[in-house]
Amino acid sequence: MPVIDAHQHFWRMADRVGEWPTPDLEPIFRDFEPSDLEPLLKSAQVDGTILVQTRESEDDTAYMLDLADHHAFIKGVVGWTDLKAPDAAERVRKFAKHPKLKGLRPMLQGISDLRWICDSAVEPAIETMIEHDLAFDALILPPHLPHFHEFAKQHSQLRIVIDHGAKPYIAEGKISLWRKGMEALSHLPNVSCKLSGLLTEAGDQKPQAIRPYAETILDLFGPERTFWGSDWPVLRLAGDYQGWHDQCRDIVPVEHHQAVFGGNASTFYRLNG
């Protein structure tokens, strides 16, 4: 079973003038392209990746799909389109024609309306995603959890994965309300969760602070619906690729490594067919 990094990014700063990342985020304030990641994958013995959007731009999605066409290690792309556009269904249909387009991700964490995704205006796009067997990556924060549960329950045929464990407030040591929201989502069989991004949320806490949150994700979603991602290069704000990979391999029981570090992502993103 190949080892899959289920969440990584590439970007060119020329495309992001005035956007995130800002100059104060020095470790990630530069271009990141395949040649930067390939040595890290080789060292960690990771066979392939899922490349995930970072801009609300169809041009960015086209850029990622072009990279996937030229780099075999990019097994799938999670792109972006405006799910509320009048022609959203057509846009989804267009991207679905590309064999490496595996899912879409609205950037819900940056939308002030916590119920944005519950709007009926997204229905045509969501129905088209289901029709074309595309996954939904949920970039959400703890306050989104009850509202996102409503959306996920309503769309039981939509394959959903929670990115970065919904970014729990690890730096503040808050866990109870986050756990309650995640537990509700875990009862929905169409929802999975990525073991990714937690180190960045730890702030000044020691890396060990993420263990209770990572173990909660594993407990709630089980080894069948949890899969690992690096969130590289954002990861560089808090650690390094090999270190995060090793830390997660220590947290996940050995008997579940094959599933969490490859098998589940391959199944969820339809990498084998």
Side-chain angles (χ1 to χ4, degrees), residues 56-98:
E56 294 176 312
S57 162
E58 290 190 347
D59 288 342
D60 184 52
T61 303
Y63 159 69
M64 294 188 296
L65 290 172
D66 182 65
L67 287 179
D69 284 338
H70 292 90
H71 298 275
F73 75 84
I74 302 174
K75 304 300 183 184
V77 167
V78 175
W80 178 92
T81 193
D82 182 355
L83 298 182
K84 291 188 181 180
D87 61 343
E90 182 180 333
R91 294 181 185 212
V92 172
R93 206 170 286 118
K94 177 192 71 174
F95 280 125
K97 292 178 181 177
H98 195 292

Side-chain angles (χ1 to χ4, degrees), residues 119-161:
D119 188 339
S120 61
V122 305
E123 292 303 313
I126 299 302
E127 289 172 6
T128 307
M129 288 180 66
I130 294 170
E131 175 189 342
H132 289 276
D133 201 24
L134 295 178
F136 185 108
D137 266 58
L139 179 62
I140 58 176
L141 303 171
H144 291 96
L145 288 169
H147 311 291
F148 195 79
H149 178 270
E150 177 185 337
F151 167 80
K153 186 175 181 180
Q154 183 179 349
H155 298 93
S156 60
Q157 300 305 306
L158 180 67
R159 286 179 294 111
I160 296 169
V161 62

